[in-house]
Amino acid sequence: GYLDTLGWALARLGRLEEAETALRKSIALAKKESSLNLSEIYYHLGFVCRELSRHDEAKEYLTLALEDPPTQFLRDEFCRRGCMHGWP
């Protein structure tokens, strides 16, 4: 969880490359530890990829976030951003 939090904080600060590194490590670690729900990490990485103009990759991660299944917080976030910012 701490790598996801770090990655999200870096993303919010605009330090996107560092955020991507932390988030990718977070996913790898979560998979290694068999974490059940990766939806929020996928969402964060999708956000970062979108900000880096890697739209196909962003769409891939945002789709994974919706399939994991998403938490209620994440569903609300998708709706808020999707309705307001043209997210895929």
Side-chain angles (χ1 to χ4, degrees):
Y2 75 92
L3 284 172
D4 176 47
T5 301
L6 173 63
W8 189 235
L10 290 166
R12 303 296 292 190
L13 291 170
R15 295 166 55 181
L16 300 173
E17 290 81 12
E18 292 171 90
E20 181 180 13
T21 299
L23 292 167
R24 289 191 185 279
K25 286 180 183 178
S26 180
I27 289 171
L29 184 59
K31 285 181 177 181
K32 186 176 181 181
E33 294 180 357
S34 300
S35 291
L36 297 178
N37 192 311
L38 302 175
S39 62
E40 290 191 29
I41 306 170
Y42 286 140
Y43 168 75
H44 293 156
L45 188 53
F47 176 91
V48 168
C49 289
R50 182 177 184 274
E51 293 298 304
L52 290 168
S53 297
R54 296 193 332 240
H55 299 288
D56 290 340
E57 195 172 355
K59 187 174 182 177
E60 177 184 333
Y61 283 112
L62 294 172
T63 299
L64 285 170
L66 287 172
E67 291 174 348
D68 207 10
T71 61
Q72 184 61 48
F73 166 79
L74 199 52
R75 279 189 230 119
D76 293 344
E77 185 72 4
F78 264 102
C79 182
R80 184 177 69 81
R81 289 192 179 273
C83 296
M84 295 174 62
H85 301 289
W87 275 56

